[in-house]
Amino acid sequence: MILVIAEQRGGKLNRATWETIAAAQQLASGQPIAVVVPGSGVGTVAHELSTAQVKEVVTIDDAALEPYTPDGYTIALKQAIEQLSPTTVLLPHTYQTRDFAPTLAARMDRALITDVTAIKNAGGDATFVRPMFQGKLSADVAPLGAAPHFITFQIGAFRADQAAKGSAAAPVRPLSVTGDAAAIRQKPDGPFQEVRQAVDLSQAERIVAVGRGIKGQEHLPVAQRLAEALGAELAASRPICDSGWLPMERQIGSSGQTVAPKLYVALGISGAIQHVVGMKGSRTIVAINKDADAPIFEVADYGIAGDLFEIVPAIVAELQK
């Protein structure tokens, strides 16, 4: 059996869970799939996930799991995995997963492969593709040792809308685990937000991103007007954030956030590999750049070679009509 560990916060499902279910369905080859939902008050999330084409949805509803702590999740999920006996455990490669998954895998003395972007089948045994050296190379990795093996999937590697839905709702059942409040060493505060406008770009459906081609901070309103017209979030490549023109929370790339929106508009972004690895999972990529040979055009679905200061106002004017 393949087990997907869902991620939710405050009763709201992280859409990366659906991407992981899509990966599980590709990997399955006839194996049953179960989804486990840890947390407190997870009934609504479990009901949402029951629409997926899976064998069952299992809930671990425990007050000790809210708020999230790596110790609490490790204790609960270890027991769940031992009861369900999966051959493979799949997780979205989120900040939360990066926090507890290494501990969980080490606690169970099992292999962990992280940040996977694709699945290959070599002689009947699955191998997993993951980036190395900030995306400059890709490696085919096969887990060794006893099952279960732990695999995390890069956000955007699989599309959430490609997760198959079942003809009928999958059964939902609770799983009993024994919590140990004394073993939870962390006492978390509320989620940190640097500013009131802090944003999780990984959940954005539309993004307008700017690069060096914007030339100066005084020109950011050009991009902002396009973002407003599209109902999109404003983001940037690393040089823009390093210069302090936009906050670091809006940086996309290997040292920033990984995103997979429905629409990604790149303004004056050359397309360095460190940026591309953070947005290549976008469904539709539109690039505007004066340099017709810019690498960004290699990954773009639509490209416009021209002056963004002429093209963007014209697009905004059409959108406003």
Side-chain angles (χ1 to χ4, degrees):
M1 182 188 73
I2 295 174
L3 182 65
V4 174
I5 298 179
E7 180 170 315
Q8 60 83 35
R9 176 178 292 174
K12 183 178 181 181
L13 183 68
N14 187 323
R15 74 174 185 180
T17 298
W18 283 108
E19 297 176 9
T20 308
I21 291 172
Q25 290 170 341
Q26 179 178 324
L27 178 64
S29 297
Q31 296 180 76
I33 301 170
V35 182
V36 62
V37 188
S40 179
V42 295
T44 301
V45 171
H47 177 73
E48 179 181 348
L49 289 170
S50 70
T51 62
Q53 187 176 304
V54 297
K55 178 184 178 182
E56 64 176 350
V57 178
V58 179
T59 60
I60 307 175
D61 205 324
D62 191 333
L65 299 179
E66 187 63 41
Y68 159 80
T69 61
D71 278 346
Y73 267 52
T74 299
I75 293 167
L77 289 170
K78 179 176 182 292
Q79 295 179 56
I81 291 167
E82 289 171 344
Q83 291 183 47
L84 297 169
S85 300
T87 55
T88 313
V89 179
L90 307 184
L91 310 93
H93 191 73
T94 62
Y95 291 117
Q96 182 169 292
T97 293
R98 286 178 240 183
D99 192 34
F100 77 83
T103 303
L104 178 59
R107 190 76 54 87
M108 300 188 71
D109 193 23
R110 296 296 188 267
L112 168 65
I113 302 175
T114 61
D115 206 22
V116 168
T117 58
I119 301 169
K120 289 184 177 179
N121 191 294
D125 296 321
T127 57
F128 301 92
V129 181
R130 68 179 307 275
M132 300 178 67
F133 304 109
Q134 292 189 327
K136 293 182 176 67
L137 297 174
S138 292
D140 294 350
V141 184
L144 300 178
H149 302 131
F150 291 80
I151 315 292
T152 74
F153 288 91
Q154 187 180 106
I155 292 176
F158 292 82
R159 282 172 48 175
D161 60 358
Q162 290 181 337
K165 300 297 181 72
S167 56
V172 178
R173 68 179 177 95
L175 192 70
S176 178
V177 300
T178 303
D180 183 2
I184 298 177
R185 297 164 293 179
Q186 302 89 10
K187 295 182 178 178
D189 292 330
F192 173 73
Q193 286 190 318
E194 184 175 353
V195 293
R196 187 180 298 274
Q197 293 80 18
V199 61
D200 181 3
L201 293 175
S202 69
Q203 302 300 303
E205 293 196 348
R206 292 174 294 278
I207 292 175
V208 173
V210 296
R212 294 178 188 273
I214 202 70
K215 295 183 179 178
Q217 187 174 13
E218 68 275 12
H219 297 138
L220 283 177
V222 174
Q224 182 64 56
R225 283 191 286 271
L226 177 60
E228 291 171 355
L230 289 170
E233 293 288 351
L234 186 64
S237 60
R238 180 171 179 171
I240 301 303
C241 295
D242 282 349
S243 299
W245 298 355
L246 284 174
M248 298 302 294
E249 70 198 32
R250 293 188 178 269
Q251 178 183 326
I252 291 174
S254 59
S255 55
Q257 295 198 48
T258 299
V259 300
K262 292 180 179 178
L263 173 65
Y264 189 91
V265 182
L267 305 180
I269 293 176
S270 63
I273 186 64
Q274 291 83 357
H275 181 79
V276 170
V277 297
M279 47 67 76
K280 63 182 180 181
S282 305
R283 191 179 309 177
T284 301
I285 300 171
V286 178
I288 301 174
N289 199 298
K290 288 182 72 173
D291 181 5
D293 296 320
I296 192 68
F297 290 124
E298 296 177 10
V299 297
D301 298 287
Y302 300 94
I304 303 174
D307 188 343
L308 71 88
F309 296 106
E310 297 177 0
I311 296 166
V312 172
I315 294 174
V316 171
E318 289 299 315
L319 290 167
Q320 289 177 341
K321 290 181 181 179

